[in-house]
Amino acid sequence: MASDQLKVLDVLDKAKTQLYHFTAVVIAGMGFFTDSYDLFSISLVTKLLGRIYYHVEGSSKPGSLPPNVAAAVNGVAFCGTLTGQLFFGWLGDKLGRKRVYGITLMLMVFCSIGSGLSFGSTPNSVMATLCFFRFWLGFGIGGDYPLSATIMAEYANKKTRGAFIAAVFAMQGFGILCGGAVAIVVSSIFQALFPARAYSEDPTGSTVPQADCVWRIILMFGAVPAAMTYYWRMKMPETPRYTALVAKNQQKAREDMSKVLKIDIESGKEAVVKEEVKVVEKRNSFGLFSSEFLSRHGLHLLGTTTTWFLLDIAYYSQNLFQKDIFSAVGWIPKPKTMSALEELYKIARAQTLIALCGTVPGYWATVLLIDYIGRFSIQIIGFFFMSVFMFALAIPYHHWTEKSNHIGFVVMYALTFFFANFGPNSTTFIVPAEIFPARLRSTCHGISAAAGKAGAIVGSFGFLYASQNQDQSKADPGYPAGIGMRNSLLVLAVVNVVGFFFTFLVPESKGKSLEEISREDEGDDQEQSNRNVVETA
């Protein structure tokens, strides 16, 4: 570390891994556990909502959400998340990471409960209430992205920083897994208590009145992990980097570090440290919209936003609508051959199996390897193999729809999730928390994450329509003919290829301090040149 960099941050970079690091992973990670549970649980219950509220008497098919309602229910949380990422990202740099950290959890708790309590006199009023609460639920979830990533990055040492940030994000996998498990348990209990025949045998009786409680219980359960974590979030101190570099209180930074990391930090050079703070401030006083930021980090921000945007188009299309893909290849029986709760059970079972076999292992492979092979390599590998497996699914798609090949389809589909998570889904979250200056770190992470959610919106809304059968008579009720599942998978494969090339705009941050990566320990070009001359002499 350069002699003019804050010594307190040097100590932080070289500190041994402590119990507090693991505690921080759990506290921040439970937020992401809740995030993924809330975002993906809605995809489990949309079929059930259609059967309950949009049943058409005499129809040969079970009720389904109209296109505009389905798009709103699936996408409104993403709109809230995008807004929350921008707002809380900016607020985290203005007021501090800790000060706004608890607000996001409280929003998630109240809005999860509100989602389950959505009442109304008509189906559309129930859906409108549900969408209202899911927007604000997404708003709280959005704040968790920049704040959790930044807090973990600013507390970790440089040797294991990637693994700790990845571990926070990896809790998403357990959230998806938990969502499927809760849906399986709740639907199994209600099936046992209130048995029903298949839709083809009894269209009205196939959806028992008690099914209305099932989706509410599943959505409200998301409040439990968020509420359990609130107290510990409020006990976390502000990060030393924010306190020293942004709040300009290096004494407080030392005290907080000594308290949580159980290390003694030399305090006898107060004047020297203050002078170092002034040097850092002088060299890094440029703003987000300045030419200096553009020259230093413009391409980096372009890289983090575009790769996250492209990744989420593919990732959320797959995740939110995998139930439709499984139905298309026959892995889930036709809806009319099942009761409402049986359909929910089989959708949840399929999603849980994919999470268990592909999603969760991919996350933790990143945790184990990221500080060895680097962020850039993992992202390149991920985009490459996502493209390969998408093309392998799409080009011979009709081959996979044959009953004898369904298992092969599911295995390859799971592998696309593995390489999404052992790849760009993890690294796009990690890198923006490392490569930008401290006073802009949360803001830039929020911008990058918001670009990702814009991709999720494109993916969820676009794929909903695009994946419809090219034959209008075979499309879902109310939907126009689409380009079909095969062509949709081809489009997603091309999106992954584009993401592969945009990855080259993102720098490698493995093994470097945050100040070195963001160039906060550098002066202007002339000053750096003068220093090099002196050192050479």
Side-chain angles (χ1 to χ4, degrees):
M1 180 172 288
S3 61
D4 58 355
Q5 189 175 5
L6 287 171
K7 300 300 185 292
V8 66
L9 304 184
D10 192 24
V11 173
L12 188 63
D13 280 328
K14 295 176 180 177
K16 293 182 179 179
T17 300
Q18 306 276 333
L19 176 62
Y20 182 79
H21 290 115
F22 295 101
T23 304
V25 166
V26 173
I27 295 171
M30 285 306 291
F32 273 89
F33 177 98
T34 307
D35 295 349
S36 60
Y37 181 96
D38 289 330
L39 286 177
F40 295 117
S41 60
I42 194 66
S43 68
L44 296 170
V45 301
T46 49
K47 295 281 190 183
L48 182 60
L49 290 171
R51 286 192 184 232
I52 295 171
Y53 293 105
Y54 293 92
H55 170 67
V56 178
E57 200 65 43
S59 173
S60 61
K61 295 181 180 180
S64 61
L65 296 179
N68 61 326
V69 175
V73 168
N74 280 303
V76 70
F78 293 141
C79 297
T81 302
L82 187 155
T83 309
Q85 286 164 334
L86 292 172
F87 176 74
F88 285 110
W90 168 80
L91 201 63
D93 282 333
K94 294 299 179 185
L95 301 182
R97 291 61 161 123
K98 178 194 173 179
R99 195 173 293 183
V100 294
Y101 205 27
I103 299 173
T104 61
L105 271 188
M106 281 296 96
L107 271 172
M108 289 155 64
V109 169
F110 290 127
C111 293
S112 292
I113 295 171
S115 296
L117 297 178
S118 300
F119 291 108
S121 57
T122 65
N124 283 344
S125 63
V126 174
M127 294 301 108
T129 310
L130 175 61
C131 287
F132 171 82
F133 283 112
R134 284 194 62 79
F135 175 86
W136 290 107
L137 174 65
F139 189 71
I141 289 171
D144 230 39
Y145 277 73
L147 294 173
S148 291
T150 301
I151 284 173
M152 199 67 247
E154 293 184 341
Y155 257 116
N157 59 55
K158 64 183 180 182
K159 183 179 180 182
T160 58
R161 185 180 60 241
F164 281 121
I165 305 174
V168 169
F169 195 63
M171 294 298 286
Q172 276 199 344
F174 290 122
I176 297 171
L177 201 61
C178 181
V182 169
I184 288 171
V185 171
V186 175
S187 61
S188 297
I189 292 172
F190 275 76
Q191 277 191 91
L193 295 176
F194 310 102
R197 291 187 292 175
Y199 182 87
S200 58
E201 298 175 15
D202 184 1
T204 303
S206 66
T207 305
V208 296
Q210 293 80 5
D212 192 53
C213 297
V214 172
W215 69 270
R216 299 178 186 277
I217 292 170
I218 292 171
L219 295 186
M220 285 194 288
F221 187 83
V224 175
M228 291 171 59
T229 315
Y230 179 78
Y231 171 78
W232 296 107
R233 280 204 175 182
M234 292 298 91
K235 294 283 288 182
M236 291 182 74
E238 184 56 84
T239 70
R241 281 188 162 89
Y242 182 88
T243 304
L245 296 175
V246 184
K248 307 176 183 66
N249 188 341
Q250 60 275 12
Q251 181 61 34
K252 176 65 174 171
R254 278 201 302 271
E255 291 172 359
D256 287 344
M257 281 182 58
S258 298
K259 179 180 177 182
V260 301
L261 297 181
K262 303 294 188 293
I263 54 178
D264 293 323
I265 302 174
E266 183 181 2
S267 58
K269 298 182 179 179
E270 184 71 18
V272 174
V273 173
K274 284 183 177 180
E275 185 60 33
E276 288 167 353
V277 173
K278 291 177 182 177
V279 170
V280 172
E281 289 172 13
K282 181 180 178 182
R283 292 175 183 170
N284 295 279
S285 58
F286 56 86
L288 180 64
F289 301 104
S290 66
S291 58
E292 183 69 18
F293 178 87
L294 185 64
S295 65
R296 287 194 182 199
H297 302 292
L299 287 178
H300 299 163
L301 188 58
L302 177 64
T304 58
T305 53
T306 52
T307 52
W308 207 336
F309 173 78
L310 294 164
L311 175 276
D312 274 9
I313 290 177
Y315 186 78
Y316 281 89
S317 296
Q318 291 173 260
N319 236 323
L320 283 172
F321 301 105
Q322 59 182 270
K323 60 186 183 300
D324 300 307
I325 292 174
F326 289 142
S327 297
V329 299
W331 206 51
I332 295 177
K334 293 185 180 298
K336 66 181 181 181
T337 65
M338 300 179 285
S339 69
L341 293 179
E342 184 183 1
E343 183 180 34
L344 170 62
Y345 172 84
K346 290 189 175 179
I347 290 171
R349 185 181 64 180
Q351 180 166 305
T352 303
L353 182 62
I354 289 295
L356 194 62
C357 297
T359 305
V360 172
Y363 280 122
W364 290 97
T366 301
V367 174
L368 293 173
L369 297 174
I370 192 165
D371 287 313
Y372 294 96
I373 66 177
R375 289 75 161 144
F376 177 82
S377 297
I378 288 179
Q379 187 159 311
I380 284 289
I381 291 169
F383 269 128
F384 176 80
F385 281 105
M386 286 175 70
S387 304
V388 168
F389 285 114
M390 278 290 188
F391 279 122
L393 288 172
I395 293 172
Y397 180 73
H398 297 297
H399 166 80
W400 299 117
T401 60
E402 296 176 7
K403 191 173 182 179
S404 60
N405 299 319
H406 289 172
I407 297 300
F409 179 93
V410 172
V411 170
M412 293 186 69
Y413 192 67
L415 284 170
T416 65
F417 276 101
F418 175 85
F419 282 105
N421 295 305
F422 179 60
N425 194 42
S426 295
T427 54
T428 52
F429 174 80
I430 295 166
V431 174
E434 298 180 310
I435 64 176
F436 299 107
R439 72 190 178 286
L440 299 172
R441 185 169 291 133
S442 180
T443 301
C444 290
H445 193 286
I447 293 170
S448 302
K453 281 301 167 283
I457 293 168
V458 170
S460 57
F461 282 87
F463 193 79
L464 186 65
Y465 288 87
S467 62
Q468 295 298 317
N469 198 292
Q470 292 174 292
D471 183 348
Q472 176 67 62
S473 64
K474 296 180 180 179
D476 290 338
Y479 287 87
I483 61 175
M485 194 65 70
R486 178 180 181 272
N487 290 331
S488 296
L489 290 171
L490 281 171
V491 170
L492 296 181
V494 172
V495 166
N496 291 326
V497 171
V498 177
F500 175 91
F501 288 106
F502 270 102
T503 297
F504 288 92
L505 296 178
V506 182
E508 178 58 76
S509 51
K510 177 174 72 95
K512 300 177 182 178
S513 73
L514 295 181
E515 290 67 45
E516 181 184 0
I517 304 164
S518 63
R519 297 171 58 188
E520 286 180 281
D521 61 350
E522 294 182 12
D524 57 31
D525 294 338
Q526 183 61 46
E527 183 179 353
Q528 187 68 34
S529 176
N530 292 340
R531 186 191 307 156
N532 291 339
V533 170
V534 172
E535 289 176 353
T536 302

